[in-house]
Coordinates of all heavy atoms in Angstrom, one line a residue:
L1480 N 4.4 139.9 -13.6 CA 5.1 141.2 -13.7 C 6.4 141.0 -14.3 O 6.9 141.7 -15.2 CB 5.1 141.9 -12.4 CG 3.8 142.2 -11.7 CD1 4.1 142.8 -10.3 CD2 3.0 143.2 -12.5
Q1489 N 14.4 146.4 -23.7 CA 14.8 147.2 -24.8 C 15.5 146.5 -26.0 O 15.3 146.8 -27.2 CB 15.8 148.3 -24.3 CG 15.1 149.4 -23.5 CD 16.0 150.6 -23.2 OE1 17.2 150.6 -23.5 NE2 15.4 151.5 -22.4
T1494 N 15.5 145.2 -31.6 CA 16.0 144.3 -32.6 C 14.8 143.4 -33.1 O 15.0 142.5 -34.0 CB 17.1 143.3 -32.1 OG1 16.5 142.4 -31.1 CG2 18.2 144.1 -31.5
I1511 N 9.4 131.3 -16.2 CA 8.3 130.6 -16.8 C 8.4 129.1 -16.6 O 7.5 128.3 -16.9 CB 8.2 130.9 -18.3 CG1 9.4 130.3 -19.0 CG2 8.1 132.4 -18.6 CD1 9.3 130.3 -20.6
V1564 N -7.7 161.7 -4.9 CA -6.7 162.4 -4.1 C -5.4 162.6 -4.9 O -4.9 163.7 -4.8 CB -6.4 161.5 -2.8 CG1 -5.2 162.2 -2.0 CG2 -7.6 161.3 -1.9
T1572 N 0.4 170.4 -7.0 CA 1.8 170.5 -7.4 C 2.1 171.3 -8.6 O 3.1 172.1 -8.7 CB 2.4 169.1 -7.6 OG1 2.1 168.3 -6.4 CG2 3.9 169.1 -7.8
D1585 N 8.5 160.5 -7.3 CA 7.7 160.0 -6.2 C 8.5 159.0 -5.4 O 8.8 157.9 -6.0 CB 6.4 159.3 -6.7 CG 5.5 158.9 -5.6 OD1 5.9 158.9 -4.4 OD2 4.3 158.5 -5.9
D1596 N -1.4 160.0 -12.8 CA -2.3 161.2 -12.8 C -1.6 162.5 -13.2 O -2.1 163.3 -13.9 CB -3.0 161.3 -11.4 CG -4.2 160.4 -11.3 OD1 -4.9 160.2 -12.2 OD2 -4.4 159.9 -10.2
Y1607 N 10.3 159.7 -12.3 CA 11.2 158.9 -11.4 C 10.4 158.4 -10.3 O 9.6 159.1 -9.7 CB 12.4 159.8 -10.9 CG 13.3 160.2 -12.1 CD1 13.0 161.3 -12.8 CD2 14.4 159.5 -12.4 CE1 13.8 161.7 -13.9 CE2 15.3 159.8 -13.4 CZ 15.0 161.0 -14.2 OH 15.8 161.3 -15.2
V1611 N 10.0 150.5 -1.7 CA 10.7 149.4 -1.1 C 10.3 148.0 -1.5 O 11.0 147.0 -1.3 CB 10.6 149.6 0.5 CG1 9.2 149.2 1.0 CG2 11.7 148.7 1.2
A1633 N 13.0 152.4 -9.4 CA 14.0 151.7 -8.5 C 13.2 151.0 -7.4 O 12.2 151.5 -6.9 CB 15.0 152.6 -8.0
V1643 N 18.2 147.9 -4.2 CA 18.0 146.5 -4.6 C 18.1 146.4 -6.1 O 19.0 145.6 -6.5 CB 16.6 146.1 -4.1 CG1 16.3 144.6 -4.6 CG2 16.4 146.2 -2.6

Side-chain angles (χ1 to χ4, degrees):
L1480 298 177
Q1489 287 185 1
T1494 69
I1511 69 172
V1564 175
T1572 304
D1585 185 348
D1596 277 323
Y1607 295 82
V1611 71
V1643 178

